[in-house]
Amino acid sequence: MSVVTTQKHDNILVIVSNNPPVNALGAAVRQGLVDGIDEALSNEEVEAVVIRCDGRTFFAGADITEFGKPMKGPDLGEALDRLEASSKPVVAAIHGTALGGGCEVALACHYRIAVPSAKMGLPEVKLGLIPGAAGTQRLPRVVGAKAALPMIVIGNPISAAKAHAIGLVDKIVGEDSLADDAIAFAREQIGKAPARSSEGTENEDGVKNPSIFDEFRQKNNRKIRGFEAPEAGIQAVKAAGELSYADGVKKERELFRKLMAGTQAAAMQHYFFAERAANKIDGIDPKIDLIPIKTVGILGAGTMGGGIGMNFLSAGIPVTIVELKKEALDRGVGVIRRNYENTAKRGRMTEQQVEDAMSILTPSLSYEDLADCDLVIEAVFENMDVKKEVFTKLDSIVKQGAILASNTSYLNIDEIAAVTKRPEYVLGLHFFSPANVMKLLEIVRGEKTADDVLMTAMKLSKKIGKVAAVSGVCPGFIGNRMLSPRQEQANLMIMEGANYWEIDDVLLEFGFPMGPFQMSDLAGVDIGWHRDPERIETLRDALCAVGRWGQKVSKGFYDYDQARQRTPSDEVKQIIAEFAAKAGKEQRTISKDEIRERLLYPMVNEGAKILEEGMAQRASDIDVVWINGYGWPLYTGGPMFWADTVGLEKIVVGLKKHGLPVAKLLKTKADAGGKFNG
Ligand code: 3HC
Ligand code: NAI
């Protein structure tokens, strides 16, 4: 059966697409739409048209798998022009998510009706693109430039109610009566002149008040810095006010083509599929029976325990949190409440939602209260003896069949699992700080972890809004293991004469939110310090001894002013110079290129080793980890994709030039002219 069919309801022709899973607008669908409109126009009995989709959603966009391949059949732009030109009114009936090209289909229709749960958006910018089927020209003409800007330049979908409020949707209809309501609505439009989006006049706001564009740039500077597509989006929306519709469409095409040919779009499309691939665990049937997780226990209400708990509370899953002492418990619970209240103050949560989340939190000082939990996550001190003791105790108390997880950053999960009688139910769930905010979850697969346990954790991660990737057991897993060589090079280079702020700046220029020394200041230079100011063995000891504990005391590697602006410190420079002199390190000027290569190439090398050892299932999983857990810039596609774009041969040459080791897999791939991804 064709993916697009038509049904005639008296004088209304309903064009229905059924192209699972998300009704992507592939060649067959585009052809089907054109054929459907031709049928409506050539059949005299037909007086109005409805376009709707079967399955879980209205068109969720162009078919991304077709990108980069020769175009087959009509292009979406042409198809939509034919649709809009129809002399008979056309109504889009929207459910699920009308995204990208799907939103553009809706815009080309003369009217749009939607169910309350529907969402609409132009997320192309998240794929390094802008809408390419006249969305940037039609949308501002319908809702105005000001309302169009966030949709096109930031790309988050909006609710049906919001779409209605800004004039993008004409009517909200019943959740379960979309098909019938659409036909009735279409019937009401018969005889009226079709409302063509390309002829709308709302775009005048951008001409009358052109400062909205600069204001928007400034307001969103942090979100769009480094990305090419957002600026193209702003220019396209601006053009929608300044140029004729036909010229605006030409401008959009030009901008779209340029982005599509660039590396950022390739990188971001790589990431789109990488994130989805990371959900798949080699050798495990995705349909395997899962373990129901109705209640979660957390051990330790410190920095991590509290944040981890919030993820579950926010998803409506009851949490029991256990501490050793009342003060620690009260402090932990207090922090959770304060975090929620701050979110509410910023308008991102209602007071009721805060209370709802807090009402399903049970603070406790007794391990016994964890007995009935389906999953217990341990977040106590990072010490193997402590972890072993805790897991022995948990194993004896928590019901059989429940999963026991550790949030350890570095320790060996197999060794922890071995103290229990249920190693197949033990795994690592490595959250990142702040755990209620950071997207990444590394799921650490122990030697004995059972398939259903692993898959349960994977599915649960989606429920709590995390992006997950599976790692094998090795020190630091995927993320921290790759951080180590970068840190090592950073420390070496400041002893060889590079300024520490230059090292941070190189990473900032590359697109990281901060460099290693800023990170150290933020986390606290004194973390793990022995607290004896007389004992000075390392640079950290020296900084801590003079009270340079980091941002919390306004001085660490940098001096901080009240606005938390950093300035390099002469005192620190002096301390570093003394250490370098003591070690007899020759000082030299180190170029930015060398700094970048020595920071990033060893990470790629470590990534290759991780792959070689089978600690990551695929190179793209490593990209997912670094983009979501460590701020690796999305527009480069992650360390392994970036390495592919640099060229593996060049990386090997660079590593050798700096006297650094080259992993076997990296060398083999480089010699063969190969890539990590694809
Ligand atoms: N093209 C091709 N495949 C797509 C796709 C698309 N646009 N959108 C989703 N898929 C695939 C996914 O890869 C996944 O495949 P898999 O099962 O083999 O891994 C499957 O559909 C289901 O997707 P999700 O796992 O993401 O399902 P969810 O229910 O969580 O989310 C969604 C659904 C919100 C629609 C989400 O898939 C999404 O955001 N899709 C992308 C939307 C988008 O970016 N559209 C714009 C495309 S660019 C464009 O339209 C250009 C135009 O202007 C010319
Ligand atoms: P923390 O010191 O802030 O909190 C640990 C809490 O555990 C303390 O409140 C302590 O009272 C409690 N505790 C200790 N022993 C206990 C026991 N036997 N029973 C119950 N409670 C106990 O430490 P943090 O930072 O939260 O780290 C916890 C774990 O998470 C460690 O394994 C750490 O490596 C890991 N981790 C930490 C990250 C971070 O950025 N802080 C990031 C990712 C993982």
Side-chain angles (χ1 to χ4, degrees), residues 21-22 24 56-57 60-65 67 76 97 99-102 104 123-124 127 129-133 256 272-273 276 280 462:
V22 297
R56 56 198 239 220
T57 177
D63 185 339
I64 306 171
T65 59
F67 287 0
L76 189 60
T97 42
L99 299 178
E104 291 176 298
E124 283 87 345
L127 299 170
L129 298 171
I130 58 170
F256 179 86
F272 178 85
F273 290 112
R276 282 153 182 84
K280 300 182 175 95
K462 209 166 178 186

mmCIF file of all heavy atoms in Angstrom, residues 21-22 24 56-57 60-65 67 76 97 99-102 104 123-124 127 129-133 256 272-273 276 280 462, ligand 1:
data_model
loop_
_atom_site.group_PDB
_atom_site.id
_atom_site.type_symbol
_atom_site.label_atom_id
_atom_site.label_comp_id
_atom_site.label_asym_id
_atom_site.label_seq_id
_atom_site.Cartn_x
_atom_site.Cartn_y
_atom_site.Cartn_z
ATOM 1 N N PRO A 21 8.249 5.417 11.430
ATOM 2 C CA PRO A 21 7.621 5.689 12.722
ATOM 3 C C PRO A 21 7.140 7.128 12.906
ATOM 4 O O PRO A 21 6.264 7.380 13.702
ATOM 5 C CB PRO A 21 8.760 5.407 13.706
ATOM 6 C CG PRO A 21 10.017 5.698 12.942
ATOM 7 C CD PRO A 21 9.730 5.349 11.515
ATOM 8 N N VAL A 22 7.698 8.087 12.112
ATOM 9 C CA VAL A 22 7.384 9.492 12.452
ATOM 10 C C VAL A 22 6.847 10.278 11.254
ATOM 11 O O VAL A 22 6.837 11.499 11.255
ATOM 12 C CB VAL A 22 8.614 10.217 13.068
ATOM 13 C CG1 VAL A 22 9.015 9.569 14.375
ATOM 14 C CG2 VAL A 22 9.796 10.283 12.103
ATOM 15 N N ALA A 24 8.145 10.811 8.398
ATOM 16 C CA ALA A 24 9.157 11.677 7.782
ATOM 17 C C ALA A 24 8.798 11.873 6.309
ATOM 18 O O ALA A 24 8.238 10.981 5.671
ATOM 19 C CB ALA A 24 10.543 11.056 7.915
ATOM 20 N N ARG A 56 1.765 7.778 15.185
ATOM 21 C CA ARG A 56 1.942 8.568 16.393
ATOM 22 C C ARG A 56 2.083 10.058 16.173
ATOM 23 O O ARG A 56 1.975 10.835 17.111
ATOM 24 C CB ARG A 56 3.117 8.032 17.221
ATOM 25 C CG ARG A 56 4.428 7.960 16.509
ATOM 26 C CD ARG A 56 5.338 7.031 17.292
ATOM 27 N NE ARG A 56 6.543 7.720 17.707
ATOM 28 C CZ ARG A 56 7.740 7.162 17.691
ATOM 29 N NH1 ARG A 56 7.888 5.900 17.332
ATOM 30 N NH2 ARG A 56 8.780 7.839 18.072
ATOM 31 N N THR A 57 2.307 10.486 14.922
ATOM 32 C CA THR A 57 2.548 11.918 14.754
ATOM 33 C C THR A 57 2.284 12.445 13.349
ATOM 34 O O THR A 57 2.379 11.693 12.365
ATOM 35 C CB THR A 57 4.013 12.264 15.145
ATOM 36 O OG1 THR A 57 4.245 13.655 14.904
ATOM 37 C CG2 THR A 57 5.033 11.464 14.362
ATOM 38 N N ALA A 60 7.094 14.565 11.070
ATOM 39 C CA ALA A 60 8.098 15.090 12.017
ATOM 40 C C ALA A 60 9.288 15.694 11.292
ATOM 41 O O ALA A 60 10.318 15.941 11.895
ATOM 42 C CB ALA A 60 8.554 13.987 12.957
ATOM 43 N N GLY A 61 9.144 15.922 9.984
ATOM 44 C CA GLY A 61 10.223 16.625 9.283
ATOM 45 C C GLY A 61 10.659 15.914 8.028
ATOM 46 O O GLY A 61 10.130 14.852 7.670
ATOM 47 N N ALA A 62 11.629 16.541 7.348
ATOM 48 C CA ALA A 62 12.241 15.905 6.196
ATOM 49 C C ALA A 62 12.838 14.582 6.652
ATOM 50 O O ALA A 62 13.097 14.398 7.842
ATOM 51 C CB ALA A 62 13.332 16.809 5.633
ATOM 52 N N ASP A 63 13.044 13.667 5.705
ATOM 53 C CA ASP A 63 13.676 12.397 6.065
ATOM 54 C C ASP A 63 15.187 12.624 6.107
ATOM 55 O O ASP A 63 15.835 12.788 5.068
ATOM 56 C CB ASP A 63 13.318 11.332 5.014
ATOM 57 C CG ASP A 63 13.849 9.967 5.421
ATOM 58 O OD1 ASP A 63 14.789 9.915 6.242
ATOM 59 O OD2 ASP A 63 13.323 8.960 4.921
ATOM 60 N N ILE A 64 15.711 12.650 7.327
ATOM 61 C CA ILE A 64 17.121 13.021 7.500
ATOM 62 C C ILE A 64 18.048 11.998 6.827
ATOM 63 O O ILE A 64 19.153 12.341 6.418
ATOM 64 C CB ILE A 64 17.466 13.165 9.004
ATOM 65 C CG1 ILE A 64 16.480 14.143 9.671
ATOM 66 C CG2 ILE A 64 18.884 13.668 9.202
ATOM 67 C CD1 ILE A 64 16.590 14.191 11.187
ATOM 68 N N THR A 65 17.561 10.771 6.674
ATOM 69 C CA THR A 65 18.427 9.759 6.045
ATOM 70 C C THR A 65 18.623 10.036 4.547
ATOM 71 O O THR A 65 19.509 9.479 3.926
ATOM 72 C CB THR A 65 17.850 8.331 6.220
ATOM 73 O OG1 THR A 65 16.549 8.310 5.622
ATOM 74 C CG2 THR A 65 17.742 7.937 7.676
ATOM 75 N N PHE A 67 19.333 13.064 3.444
ATOM 76 C CA PHE A 67 20.243 14.200 3.302
ATOM 77 C C PHE A 67 21.551 13.734 2.667
ATOM 78 O O PHE A 67 22.079 12.680 3.016
ATOM 79 C CB PHE A 67 20.551 14.849 4.657
ATOM 80 C CG PHE A 67 19.406 15.659 5.226
ATOM 81 C CD1 PHE A 67 18.196 15.777 4.563
ATOM 82 C CD2 PHE A 67 19.548 16.312 6.449
ATOM 83 C CE1 PHE A 67 17.143 16.511 5.089
ATOM 84 C CE2 PHE A 67 18.499 17.050 6.988
ATOM 85 C CZ PHE A 67 17.300 17.149 6.305
ATOM 86 N N LEU A 76 10.582 19.254 -1.476
ATOM 87 C CA LEU A 76 9.499 19.634 -0.568
ATOM 88 C C LEU A 76 8.986 21.044 -0.882
ATOM 89 O O LEU A 76 7.786 21.299 -0.846
ATOM 90 C CB LEU A 76 9.980 19.533 0.889
ATOM 91 C CG LEU A 76 8.893 19.706 1.944
ATOM 92 C CD1 LEU A 76 7.797 18.656 1.824
ATOM 93 C CD2 LEU A 76 9.490 19.674 3.356
ATOM 94 N N THR A 97 3.846 15.612 16.763
ATOM 95 C CA THR A 97 4.802 16.715 16.595
ATOM 96 C C THR A 97 4.920 17.107 15.119
ATOM 97 O O THR A 97 5.371 16.308 14.311
ATOM 98 C CB THR A 97 6.192 16.276 17.089
ATOM 99 O OG1 THR A 97 6.431 14.936 16.626
ATOM 100 C CG2 THR A 97 6.297 16.304 18.597
ATOM 101 N N LEU A 99 7.053 18.897 13.042
ATOM 102 C CA LEU A 99 8.384 19.478 13.170
ATOM 103 C C LEU A 99 9.033 19.689 11.808
ATOM 104 O O LEU A 99 8.793 18.923 10.876
ATOM 105 C CB LEU A 99 9.280 18.567 14.006
ATOM 106 C CG LEU A 99 8.836 18.306 15.442
ATOM 107 C CD1 LEU A 99 9.812 17.350 16.134
ATOM 108 C CD2 LEU A 99 8.738 19.605 16.229
ATOM 109 N N GLY A 100 9.893 20.695 11.725
ATOM 110 C CA GLY A 100 10.690 20.927 10.527
ATOM 111 C C GLY A 100 9.806 20.981 9.287
ATOM 112 O O GLY A 100 8.820 21.718 9.240
ATOM 113 N N GLY A 101 10.161 20.132 8.309
ATOM 114 C CA GLY A 101 9.366 20.079 7.091
ATOM 115 C C GLY A 101 7.889 19.832 7.393
ATOM 116 O O GLY A 101 7.016 20.274 6.646
ATOM 117 N N GLY A 102 7.593 19.149 8.484
ATOM 118 C CA GLY A 102 6.206 18.893 8.870
ATOM 119 C C GLY A 102 5.496 20.186 9.236
ATOM 120 O O GLY A 102 4.337 20.418 8.870
ATOM 121 N N GLU A 104 6.424 22.976 8.101
ATOM 122 C CA GLU A 104 6.340 23.718 6.832
ATOM 123 C C GLU A 104 5.145 23.252 5.993
ATOM 124 O O GLU A 104 4.514 24.056 5.311
ATOM 125 C CB GLU A 104 7.653 23.562 6.052
ATOM 126 C CG GLU A 104 8.797 24.288 6.746
ATOM 127 C CD GLU A 104 10.135 24.069 6.051
ATOM 128 O OE1 GLU A 104 10.562 22.904 5.991
ATOM 129 O OE2 GLU A 104 10.730 25.043 5.569
ATOM 130 N N PRO A 123 12.921 22.589 14.273
ATOM 131 C CA PRO A 123 14.171 22.243 14.956
ATOM 132 C C PRO A 123 15.372 22.084 14.016
ATOM 133 O O PRO A 123 16.410 21.582 14.432
ATOM 134 C CB PRO A 123 13.832 20.897 15.615
ATOM 135 C CG PRO A 123 12.842 20.284 14.682
ATOM 136 C CD PRO A 123 12.060 21.417 14.061
ATOM 137 N N GLU A 124 15.247 22.514 12.759
ATOM 138 C CA GLU A 124 16.351 22.333 11.802
ATOM 139 C C GLU A 124 17.677 22.844 12.359
ATOM 140 O O GLU A 124 18.736 22.272 12.111
ATOM 141 C CB GLU A 124 16.041 23.065 10.490
ATOM 142 C CG GLU A 124 15.041 22.361 9.600
ATOM 143 C CD GLU A 124 13.598 22.713 9.914
ATOM 144 O OE1 GLU A 124 13.329 23.274 10.998
ATOM 145 O OE2 GLU A 124 12.723 22.426 9.070
ATOM 146 N N LEU A 127 20.009 20.597 13.751
ATOM 147 C CA LEU A 127 20.723 19.737 12.802
ATOM 148 C C LEU A 127 21.699 20.582 11.992
ATOM 149 O O LEU A 127 22.161 20.179 10.925
ATOM 150 C CB LEU A 127 19.728 19.056 11.863
ATOM 151 C CG LEU A 127 18.694 18.137 12.518
ATOM 152 C CD1 LEU A 127 17.622 17.728 11.508
ATOM 153 C CD2 LEU A 127 19.358 16.895 13.090
ATOM 154 N N LEU A 129 21.009 23.365 10.457
ATOM 155 C CA LEU A 129 20.347 23.887 9.251
ATOM 156 C C LEU A 129 19.352 24.975 9.610
ATOM 157 O O LEU A 129 19.146 25.287 10.782
ATOM 158 C CB LEU A 129 19.574 22.749 8.568
ATOM 159 C CG LEU A 129 20.382 21.560 8.069
ATOM 160 C CD1 LEU A 129 19.430 20.454 7.631
ATOM 161 C CD2 LEU A 129 21.290 21.979 6.921
ATOM 162 N N ILE A 130 18.718 25.517 8.561
ATOM 163 C CA ILE A 130 17.508 26.309 8.773
ATOM 164 C C ILE A 130 16.420 25.618 7.959
ATOM 165 O O ILE A 130 16.727 24.768 7.125
ATOM 166 C CB ILE A 130 17.674 27.787 8.320
ATOM 167 C CG1 ILE A 130 18.064 27.861 6.831
ATOM 168 C CG2 ILE A 130 18.691 28.498 9.197
ATOM 169 C CD1 ILE A 130 18.003 29.270 6.250
ATOM 170 N N PRO A 131 15.155 25.941 8.191
ATOM 171 C CA PRO A 131 14.109 25.334 7.369
ATOM 172 C C PRO A 131 14.408 25.594 5.895
ATOM 173 O O PRO A 131 14.876 26.673 5.541
ATOM 174 C CB PRO A 131 12.841 26.059 7.813
ATOM 175 C CG PRO A 131 13.141 26.482 9.221
ATOM 176 C CD PRO A 131 14.600 26.817 9.225
ATOM 177 N N GLY A 132 14.144 24.602 5.057
ATOM 178 C CA GLY A 132 14.537 24.722 3.656
ATOM 179 C C GLY A 132 13.377 24.651 2.696
ATOM 180 O O GLY A 132 13.558 24.569 1.487
ATOM 181 N N ALA A 133 12.154 24.655 3.216
ATOM 182 C CA ALA A 133 10.987 24.594 2.323
ATOM 183 C C ALA A 133 10.095 25.802 2.592
ATOM 184 O O ALA A 133 8.902 25.684 2.794
ATOM 185 C CB ALA A 133 10.241 23.279 2.502
ATOM 186 N N PHE A 256 20.381 27.901 3.210
ATOM 187 C CA PHE A 256 20.180 26.481 3.507
ATOM 188 C C PHE A 256 21.264 25.637 2.831
ATOM 189 O O PHE A 256 21.894 24.784 3.446
ATOM 190 C CB PHE A 256 18.785 26.054 3.023
ATOM 191 C CG PHE A 256 18.465 24.608 3.249
ATOM 192 C CD1 PHE A 256 17.942 24.185 4.467
ATOM 193 C CD2 PHE A 256 18.669 23.653 2.256
ATOM 194 C CE1 PHE A 256 17.634 22.840 4.688
ATOM 195 C CE2 PHE A 256 18.370 22.312 2.469
ATOM 196 C CZ PHE A 256 17.853 21.909 3.686
ATOM 197 N N PHE A 272 22.617 13.537 15.917
ATOM 198 C CA PHE A 272 21.205 13.126 16.013
ATOM 199 C C PHE A 272 21.101 11.595 16.005
ATOM 200 O O PHE A 272 20.440 10.994 16.853
ATOM 201 C CB PHE A 272 20.414 13.714 14.835
ATOM 202 C CG PHE A 272 18.961 13.308 14.815
ATOM 203 C CD1 PHE A 272 18.019 14.008 15.555
ATOM 204 C CD2 PHE A 272 18.519 12.215 14.060
ATOM 205 C CE1 PHE A 272 16.673 13.632 15.552
ATOM 206 C CE2 PHE A 272 17.175 11.837 14.047
ATOM 207 C CZ PHE A 272 16.255 12.554 14.799
ATOM 208 N N PHE A 273 21.800 10.971 15.060
ATOM 209 C CA PHE A 273 21.723 9.511 14.982
ATOM 210 C C PHE A 273 22.572 8.847 16.069
ATOM 211 O O PHE A 273 22.229 7.778 16.562
ATOM 212 C CB PHE A 273 22.118 9.029 13.580
ATOM 213 C CG PHE A 273 21.077 9.385 12.552
ATOM 214 C CD1 PHE A 273 21.335 10.323 11.562
ATOM 215 C CD2 PHE A 273 19.819 8.810 12.594
ATOM 216 C CE1 PHE A 273 20.344 10.673 10.638
ATOM 217 C CE2 PHE A 273 18.824 9.149 11.674
ATOM 218 C CZ PHE A 273 19.097 10.088 10.686
ATOM 219 N N ARG A 276 20.615 8.396 19.239
ATOM 220 C CA ARG A 276 19.650 7.297 19.149
ATOM 221 C C ARG A 276 20.345 5.938 19.110
ATOM 222 O O ARG A 276 19.878 4.977 19.689
ATOM 223 C CB ARG A 276 18.750 7.515 17.933
ATOM 224 C CG ARG A 276 17.696 8.570 18.272
ATOM 225 C CD ARG A 276 17.162 9.342 17.103
ATOM 226 N NE ARG A 276 16.211 10.347 17.588
ATOM 227 C CZ ARG A 276 16.549 11.541 18.054
ATOM 228 N NH1 ARG A 276 17.822 11.902 18.119
ATOM 229 N NH2 ARG A 276 15.636 12.375 18.504
ATOM 230 N N LYS A 280 20.922 1.696 21.831
ATOM 231 C CA LYS A 280 20.867 0.289 21.414
ATOM 232 C C LYS A 280 22.078 -0.450 21.975
ATOM 233 O O LYS A 280 23.200 0.028 21.878
ATOM 234 C CB LYS A 280 20.814 0.203 19.891
ATOM 235 C CG LYS A 280 19.578 0.935 19.382
ATOM 236 C CD LYS A 280 19.382 0.872 17.889
ATOM 237 C CE LYS A 280 18.061 1.529 17.514
ATOM 238 N NZ LYS A 280 18.182 2.927 17.117
ATOM 239 N N LYS A 462 15.789 7.305 29.745
ATOM 240 C CA LYS A 462 14.950 8.144 28.889
ATOM 241 C C LYS A 462 13.800 8.757 29.691
ATOM 242 O O LYS A 462 13.460 9.926 29.526
ATOM 243 C CB LYS A 462 14.420 7.317 27.717
ATOM 244 C CG LYS A 462 14.169 8.168 26.505
ATOM 245 C CD LYS A 462 13.958 7.406 25.229
ATOM 246 C CE LYS A 462 13.676 8.433 24.114
ATOM 247 N NZ LYS A 462 13.311 7.847 22.850
HETATM 248 N N1 3HC B 1 14.089 11.529 9.470
HETATM 249 C C1 3HC B 1 14.454 10.234 9.516
HETATM 250 N N2 3HC B 1 14.315 9.461 10.620
HETATM 251 C C2 3HC B 1 13.786 10.051 11.709
HETATM 252 C C3 3HC B 1 13.407 11.400 11.733
HETATM 253 C C4 3HC B 1 13.566 12.166 10.539
HETATM 254 N N3 3HC B 1 13.207 13.432 10.457
HETATM 255 N N4 3HC B 1 12.933 11.691 12.956
HETATM 256 C C5 3HC B 1 13.006 10.562 13.687
HETATM 257 N N5 3HC B 1 13.523 9.570 12.933
HETATM 258 C C6 3HC B 1 13.751 8.184 13.348
HETATM 259 C C7 3HC B 1 14.762 8.085 14.459
HETATM 260 O O1 3HC B 1 16.081 8.025 13.956
HETATM 261 C C8 3HC B 1 14.350 6.810 15.170
HETATM 262 O O2 3HC B 1 14.855 5.744 14.410
HETATM 263 P P1 3HC B 1 15.320 4.392 15.145
HETATM 264 O O3 3HC B 1 14.101 3.887 15.853
HETATM 265 O O4 3HC B 1 15.797 3.561 14.020
HETATM 266 O O5 3HC B 1 16.410 4.810 16.095
HETATM 267 C C9 3HC B 1 12.825 6.809 15.004
HETATM 268 O O6 3HC B 1 12.540 7.696 13.917
HETATM 269 C C10 3HC B 1 12.076 7.269 16.236
HETATM 270 O O7 3HC B 1 12.628 8.509 16.658
HETATM 271 P P2 3HC B 1 12.888 8.842 18.193
HETATM 272 O O8 3HC B 1 13.561 7.701 18.861
HETATM 273 O O9 3HC B 1 13.554 10.162 18.216
HETATM 274 O O10 3HC B 1 11.390 8.940 18.738
HETATM 275 P P3 3HC B 1 10.749 9.932 19.781
HETATM 276 O O11 3HC B 1 9.333 9.546 19.881
HETATM 277 O O12 3HC B 1 11.599 10.020 21.002
HETATM 278 O O13 3HC B 1 10.818 11.386 19.099
HETATM 279 C C11 3HC B 1 10.564 13.015 17.392
HETATM 280 C C12 3HC B 1 10.086 11.669 17.967
HETATM 281 C C13 3HC B 1 10.218 14.141 18.359
HETATM 282 C C14 3HC B 1 9.840 13.231 16.085
HETATM 283 C C15 3HC B 1 12.083 12.979 17.189
HETATM 284 O O14 3HC B 1 12.408 11.837 16.444
HETATM 285 C C16 3HC B 1 12.665 14.154 16.451
HETATM 286 O O15 3HC B 1 12.897 15.189 17.049
HETATM 287 N N6 3HC B 1 12.930 13.996 15.140
HETATM 288 C C17 3HC B 1 13.618 14.968 14.345
HETATM 289 C C18 3HC B 1 12.741 16.108 13.998
HETATM 290 C C19 3HC B 1 13.486 17.054 13.109
HETATM 291 O O16 3HC B 1 14.599 17.435 13.370
HETATM 292 N N7 3HC B 1 12.862 17.450 12.006
HETATM 293 C C20 3HC B 1 13.451 18.372 11.113
HETATM 294 C C21 3HC B 1 14.142 17.608 10.042
HETATM 295 S S1 3HC B 1 15.023 18.695 8.967
HETATM 296 C C22 3HC B 1 13.873 19.310 7.928
HETATM 297 O O17 3HC B 1 12.716 19.074 8.094
HETATM 298 C C23 3HC B 1 14.385 20.145 6.808
HETATM 299 C C24 3HC B 1 13.288 20.847 6.083
HETATM 300 O O18 3HC B 1 13.160 22.160 6.555
HETATM 301 C C25 3HC B 1 13.535 20.899 4.614
#
